[in-house]
Amino acid sequence: MAQPLEKVDRRDAKLALAHLFVAFAALALGGFAGLLQTLVRSGKFELPAGISYYTILTTHGVLLGLVLTTFFIIGFQFAAVSRTTGALSDGSRRLGWIGFWMMTSGTACTAFFILTGQASVLYTFYAPLQAHAGFYIGLALVVVGSWVSGFAMFAHYARWRKTHRGQVSPLLAFMSVTNMVLWLVCSLGVAATVVFQLIPWSLGLTDRVNVLLSRTLFWYFGHPLVYFWLLPAYMVWYAVIPKVIGGKMFSDSLARLAFILFLLFSIPVGFHHQLLEPGISPFWKYVQVVLTFMVIIPSLMTAFAMFATFESYGRSQGATGLFGWLRKLPWSDARFFAPFVGMLFFIPAGTGGIINASHQLNQVVHNTIWVTGHFHLTVATTVVLTFFGASYWLIPHLTGRVMTKAMNRLAIIQTIVWAVGMTFMSGSMHFAGLLGAPRRSAFSTYGNSPQALEWIPYQIAQAVGGTILFIGIILILVIVINLAFFAPKGETEFPVAEAAAPYERAALALENWKLWIGLVVALILIAYTVPIVDIIQNAPPGSKGYKLW
Ligand code: HEM
Ligand SMILES: [Cu+2]
């Protein structure tokens, strides 16, 4: 007899779906802004009606970098937790909805001030650029709302552990909790600068702001932020993809260890974004760069585990030779194909990251559009394609529908369109950056100076890529709307892989949260205490706010 499918509770499904809808709405608006940016930067197009380039760029960065990611991740994790550890309690679900509405109203508030041109400070809102206080207040609501949702997940996980003493928790629940711990610890930094520095300053309660302190607190958050984006993609790779291809997970304990290493080494490293910032001693920059490079270990562990899963599956299907197993993979299944293409893009993306974090090479690429090229490979391709791939089973699972063959084919096309568009756009950003083209600049030709004219061919290629990508955005929206509202009714599986070997005892030790959180705090104190005391004690007079747009 067929086993009933293990499903996300219907009430939890609604909560998860609400998050996904906001995420895809952000993708629609933010994607359009992205298209406009590439057109402006080609030097062949100007924004109508006096709209500022920086308004558009702030919209794009906030909606895609902050809103799309956070909403998708929290929605996905609520579904993953409910699927693997059972329906949320009424209390946890209520917390989830409170978190959702706080984040949504915060987003609306922030978006209002951006779109009315009162907050063109870009998504990093670097002081001394000063936005309307409503921009920061909205952001604070988004962050605090995400904490409320995090507490809902923690409470649910704690309840599961109480009723399952001595058992190893399901992998997806463990990973979701790890990611929310990472998020909670790092977003304390951005909350501190927003609440204690930027809000009083933008309200006029204080006149001046300590610029270096606020940037340091921002990057204390900003680097782990990228791991907060990446870890849910890794959840899909480790715990879902092996099931999608019909194989088994290479090792459950290895996956858990990798997540713990990401938790340890993604926070005490923010200075690698401030390598060219005066006021931080080279010694502390060096310490944080060394810690940065530690993250290569869990990254290579992940790459190894994924390819081990693929190869063992292929060989179990009778593949021979060095690469024969490649032919056994389900290339025509979009649930596999989209995340797999994401993985491939992570190879150049990660390599670029090592370049950025190296002090000497950083001087070549710092603040050039190379950096923008880099994170369109990491977040806008690896992460986003994995999220798209997850949506192809998650949305129909939650709405009680099935993906048709036609939609699957469209999803394969979507993936190819995205890969081609991004190769053009991100590739030319990398090259133009090496030639010195700045990022975040409304100017393209700089009055036809010879140096700027060298960049124009790349910026035209960038616009070609951006246009192809925008087609990709339309395709994914068509698929998502179909899966949510129009696809045939039916049951879709939420795939969760089994480990190749039964649980190892090591997995239990990896749930020693006191130990891991203690280590996280210790590493943060080592990396940040002395420089932050120095930044506060030896601060120059603070800066007044500037509105340069
Ligand atoms: C249609 C697809 C997209 C296009 C055409 C596009 C285009 C661009 C361009 C041209 C810039 C740089 C502008 C400048 O520095 O002057 C940019 C910045 C950025 N993009 Fe995208 N992008 C797309 C999708 C995405 C996605 C999916 C994400 C995130 C998930 C993303 C995140 C960002 C961020 C965070 C910035 C930085 C904004 C800043 O520097 O303040 N983009 N994008
Ligand atoms: Cu970083």
Side-chain angles (χ1 to χ4, degrees), residues 219 222-224 226 269-270 272-273 292:
W219 284 117
H223 182 76
V226 311
V269 299
H272 68 223
H273 292 265
T292 301

Side-chain angles (χ1 to χ4, degrees), residues 30 44 114 124 150 190 221 239 316 357 372 397 420 439-440 510 530 540:
K44 310 278 177 215
I114 297 173
T124 42
V190 73
F221 154 82
S316 76
T372 318
H397 177 89
V420 171
R439 67 183 285 200
R440 301 177 145 175
L510 288 168
V530 175

Side-chain angles (χ1 to χ4, degrees), residues 27 30-39 41 53-54 57-58 60-66 68-69 121-124 229 368-369 372-373 375-376 379-381 383-384 388 418 422 425 429 438-442 462-463 465-473:
L27 179 69
F32 183 60
L35 173 68
L36 295 179
Q37 285 150 221
T38 55
L39 296 178
R41 299 230 27 182
Y53 180 78
Y54 302 105
L57 185 54
T58 308
H60 180 79
V62 169
L63 283 183
L64 296 180
L66 304 177
L68 160 73
T69 48
V121 292
L122 309 184
Y123 83 116
T124 42
W229 298 335
T368 69
I369 201 150
T372 318
F375 61 70
H376 280 84
V379 65
T381 307
V383 171
V384 158
F388 292 171
W418 200 269
M422 202 52 94
M425 186 175 93
M429 283 174 165
R439 67 183 285 200
R440 301 177 145 175
S441 169
Q462 199 173 291
T467 310
I468 299 175
L469 275 169
F470 189 68
I471 297 173
I473 297 231

Side-chain angles (χ1 to χ4, degrees), residues 192-478:
T193 178
V194 166
V195 172
F196 297 117
Q197 292 192 283
L198 303 178
I199 291 180
W201 176 64
S202 60
L203 286 172
L205 301 177
T206 50
D207 192 31
R208 292 173 178 273
V209 73
N210 181 336
V211 169
L212 185 54
L213 180 62
S214 91
R215 292 182 181 186
T216 302
L217 288 170
F218 180 85
W219 284 117
Y220 164 88
F221 154 82
H223 182 76
L225 171 68
V226 311
Y227 281 91
F228 174 69
W229 298 335
L230 194 58
L231 291 190
Y234 284 5
M235 291 182 207
V236 174
W237 297 4
Y238 274 115
V240 173
I241 293 292
K243 181 71 189 284
V244 166
I245 67 175
K248 293 216 162 134
M249 190 189 332
F250 172 71
S251 157
D252 175 272
S253 305
L254 178 136
R256 289 174 201 254
L257 179 63
F259 266 56
I260 293 295
L261 292 175
F262 282 122
L263 173 64
L264 293 180
F265 294 113
S266 57
I267 303 176
V269 299
F271 284 173
H272 68 223
H273 292 265
Q274 298 175 280
L275 289 174
L276 296 193
E277 191 112 60
I280 300 171
S281 107
F283 172 76
W284 292 106
K285 290 179 181 169
Y286 176 76
V287 168
Q288 294 209 7
V289 164
V290 171
L291 290 170
T292 301
F293 279 88
M294 298 293 284
V295 101
I296 296 173
I297 298 171
S299 307
L300 292 181
M301 279 163 66
T302 303
F304 173 79
M306 292 324 300
F307 282 90
T309 300
F310 297 150
E311 180 173 349
S312 357
Y313 169 72
R315 293 202 188 280
S316 76
Q317 299 300 302
T320 52
L322 201 48
F323 292 112
W325 47 273
L326 270 175
R327 254 180 280 131
K328 301 284 180 190
L329 296 173
W331 298 108
S332 56
D333 183 343
R335 299 174 307 161
F336 164 74
F337 185 63
F340 184 86
V341 172
M343 289 177 202
L344 289 186
F345 271 83
F346 208 56
I347 299 169
T351 312
I354 296 173
I355 292 173
N356 300 341
S358 310
H359 198 159
Q360 290 81 347
L361 294 176
N362 182 275
Q363 319 222 352
V364 178
V365 298
H366 191 81
N367 268 347
T368 69
I369 201 150
W370 158 289
V371 175
T372 318
H374 163 71
F375 61 70
H376 280 84
L377 292 183
T378 52
V379 65
T381 307
T382 303
V383 171
V384 158
L385 278 183
T386 303
F387 288 178
F388 292 171
S391 304
Y392 301 149
W393 49 262
L394 182 59
I395 296 179
H397 177 89
L398 298 175
T399 54
R401 295 175 188 276
V402 285
M403 192 177 198
T404 58
K405 279 220 169 74
M407 279 300 137
N408 181 66
R409 198 168 324 120
L410 197 61
I412 299 272
I413 296 172
Q414 198 286 336
T415 308
I416 296 171
V417 166
W418 200 269
V420 171
M422 202 52 94
T423 303
F424 272 98
M425 186 175 93
S426 172
S428 31
M429 283 174 165
H430 278 91
F431 281 111
L434 288 179
L435 295 174
R439 67 183 285 200
R440 301 177 145 175
S441 169
F443 305 105
S444 292
T445 55
Y446 290 87
N448 291 332
S449 86
Q451 168 147 34
L453 291 181
E454 267 184 30
W455 308 328
I456 291 293
Y458 295 102
Q459 299 191 351
I460 290 176
Q462 199 173 291
V464 172
T467 310
I468 299 175
L469 275 169
F470 189 68
I471 297 173
I473 297 231
I474 295 173
L475 293 181
I476 184 71
L477 292 173
V478 168

